[in-house]
Amino acid sequence: MTRSYISVLFLCSLLLICFTGGFAQEAGFSNVQSQEISEVEGIPVLIKHLPDWENKKDSAVLVKNSDDLRNVLGNRRIFNGIEFTQGIEAVTAPYNQGKLLIIEYNTPQSSAAADDLIRKNLDDSSETIFYRRIGNYNVLLLDAKDETTANALLDQVKYEKVVQWLGTNHTLFRRKERAFIEGTSDLFLSTVMLIVSIFGIAIIFGLIIGMIYFFRRDKRFAAMDQFSDAGGMTRLNLDGYTPDIISGKLLDK
């Protein structure tokens, strides 16, 4: 009886350990999927990507859905293009330049799709908002004061993860198109500059050669005591300028 009781108790304990261990492992995996926690500071890694995060971590707010986003930053038109699907998180913190919002997407595709919607709503918005896509981060600076300080703050946001497209990179055509336009523009400008340079060099050399020829001819004419418009050919001595022909140099008949 005692042995049977001990065996049952041991079996129940073993099942309980397996169940709780599996549940804990599943829960831990779920936490990793939903939020990446820094092992050193014990805070979400997304907060560490804020500019001057050491001083902003206490005032930073982690956002996981659209309702929390509007509760923290107000109901703005620009938020219509932001959807929080599974795994998408955001963080916001106040700065002197404005209210910074960093939205992290899981894939470049979802970040690019959100980028199109945000830019569309940004064109329709009357607020002073500066926006930039940095890797899988879609970063907005709300209530910004001026463009210079806003860009300086956005420059401090770095995406330090490897971005890899699953499937076809939809920005590949844009990059090739931009590279083709830039290459064609450079080729056109280079060709125009070459043609202008050749014409400029030809004109300069022409002017130099013309001036040399003019001065030499002018010097030669200045050395002549008599001038003939016949160019050195035989002409009638009607004006008396042509020297007389010496008869001693003529052939005898």
Side-chain angles (χ1 to χ4, degrees):
M1 181 68 179
T2 305
R3 291 181 179 180
S4 300
Y5 178 79
I6 294 175
S7 300
V8 173
L9 183 61
F10 176 78
L11 182 60
C12 291
S13 301
L14 183 62
L15 292 174
L16 181 61
I17 292 173
C18 294
F19 176 79
T20 54
F23 179 80
Q25 184 178 4
E26 183 180 359
F29 180 78
S30 177
N31 290 334
V32 172
Q33 287 293 102
S34 62
Q35 179 176 304
E36 187 178 0
I37 303 296
S38 173
E39 297 180 357
V40 179
E41 292 82 5
I43 62 175
V45 176
L46 186 58
I47 294 180
K48 295 180 64 176
H49 288 179
L50 288 168
D52 191 23
W53 69 271
E54 293 89 348
N55 297 324
K56 295 295 180 180
K57 62 181 179 180
D58 295 332
S59 59
V61 179
L62 192 67
V63 180
K64 296 184 179 180
N65 55 66
S66 300
D67 294 335
D68 292 343
L69 180 63
R70 287 177 168 82
N71 291 335
V72 174
L73 296 176
N75 190 10
R76 302 171 187 258
R77 183 182 181 87
I78 191 66
F79 295 157
N80 295 336
I82 301 175
E83 297 181 0
F84 287 83
T85 56
Q86 185 177 6
I88 297 177
E89 295 178 346
V91 64
T92 179
Y95 290 85
N96 295 330
Q97 297 88 338
K99 299 176 181 178
L100 185 66
L101 174 64
I102 302 177
I103 309 169
E104 181 180 12
Y105 290 87
N106 297 330
T107 62
Q109 292 92 330
S110 57
S111 178
D115 178 73
D116 295 335
L117 294 175
I118 291 175
R119 291 186 183 277
K120 181 179 179 181
N121 290 315
L122 190 64
D123 294 336
D124 299 335
S125 177
S126 59
E127 300 180 68
T128 305
I129 301 175
F130 292 91
Y131 169 72
R132 187 181 300 179
R133 183 186 172 208
I134 306 171
N136 284 359
Y137 290 162
N138 295 55
V139 187
L140 297 96
L141 184 62
L142 310 171
D143 304 330
K145 298 179 180 179
D146 60 88
E147 183 176 1
T148 303
T149 57
N151 288 329
L153 181 64
L154 293 177
D155 290 338
Q156 300 179 43
V157 180
K158 306 296 182 182
Y159 186 78
E160 300 176 348
K161 300 179 181 180
V162 178
V163 179
Q164 184 175 2
W165 284 85
L166 302 178
T168 304
N169 186 350
H170 83 290
T171 62
L172 182 61
F173 175 76
R174 295 182 181 177
R175 292 206 302 266
K176 290 184 177 180
E177 183 181 20
R178 181 180 301 175
F180 173 77
I181 294 174
E182 291 178 354
T184 305
S185 300
D186 293 341
L187 179 61
F188 176 77
L189 292 176
S190 300
T191 304
V192 171
M193 292 299 296
L194 179 63
I195 294 174
V196 171
S197 300
I198 291 175
F199 273 104
I201 293 173
I203 292 173
I204 293 174
F205 272 101
L207 290 174
I208 294 174
I209 294 174
M211 292 177 65
I212 293 174
Y213 176 78
F214 173 78
F215 285 118
R216 290 188 63 182
R217 189 186 64 174
D218 189 64
K219 183 178 180 181
R220 182 167 56 86
F221 287 163
M224 297 173 59
D225 56 349
Q226 295 180 351
F227 175 77
S228 172
D229 57 359
M233 296 186 300
T234 303
R235 61 188 294 277
L236 297 176
N237 189 17
L238 300 177
D239 50 10
Y241 287 117
T242 302
D244 295 334
I245 297 176
I246 302 175
S247 58
K249 294 182 179 181
L250 298 177
L251 296 177
D252 295 337
K253 294 183 180 179

